[in-house]
Amino acid sequence: QVQLVESGGGLVQAGGSLRLSCEASERTFSGGAMAWFRQAPGKDSAFVAVIALSDGTTNYSDSVRGRFTISRDNAKNTVYLQMNSLKAEDTAVYYCAGSRTSSTYWYARRAYPYWGPGTQVTVSS
């Protein structure tokens, strides 16, 4: 099994920055993909960003493209989400998700068998 550990959530002012981290326990996890989803109260979970751990290929939701950057450190089995120019609308619980294999449905929750517990990001304005 794979367990994910998240860190870096907190309170930040609008226009500010925050970096989230997600570490996977699986040592051979580098062949798959890791992603970030977020969910605001009363709303569905939404895709944020994904990275292929093999070559670093990334994709983003339209709402965060140009502001957020996902990156990885395969040696540490860790993925980061650098969030810049934060808006109040970015307030949500952010979840790290992982998969040992690649998928053409990288934007879908069902592509990721492993999930972290979530970390709260609150943007004040």
Side-chain angles (χ1 to χ4, degrees):
Q1 65 178 19
V2 175
Q3 294 183 340
L4 306 178
V5 180
E6 300 160 324
S7 62
L11 176 65
V12 64
Q13 293 181 333
S17 299
L18 202 63
R19 188 177 77 160
L20 306 182
S21 300
C22 176
E23 183 177 0
S25 61
E26 176 61 55
R27 288 183 175 271
T28 60
F29 206 70
S30 61
M34 295 182 71
W36 291 93
F37 290 76
R38 66 185 182 184
Q39 186 171 24
K43 298 183 179 180
D44 291 334
S45 179
F47 168 78
V48 176
V50 63
I51 186 166
L53 301 180
S54 58
D55 62 5
T57 301
T58 60
N59 278 294
Y60 299 90
S61 68
D62 291 341
S63 62
V64 308
R65 186 177 293 110
R67 298 188 297 121
F68 292 10
T69 302
I70 187 170
S71 61
R72 95 292 197 200
D73 184 339
N74 285 349
K76 297 181 179 180
N77 294 316
T78 300
V79 168
Y80 306 95
L81 184 67
Q82 178 66 47
M83 304 184 293
N84 298 327
S85 301
L86 283 163
K87 306 174 181 179
E89 293 75 22
D90 296 317
T91 295
V93 177
Y94 283 70
Y95 297 92
C96 178
S99 175
R100 287 174 171 167
T101 59
S102 61
S103 174
T104 58
Y105 301 98
W106 43 264
Y107 53 87
R109 296 186 300 275
R110 67 179 184 273
Y112 303 96
Y114 310 105
W115 291 81
T119 184
Q120 177 70 48
V121 172
T122 302
V123 183
S124 63
S125 61

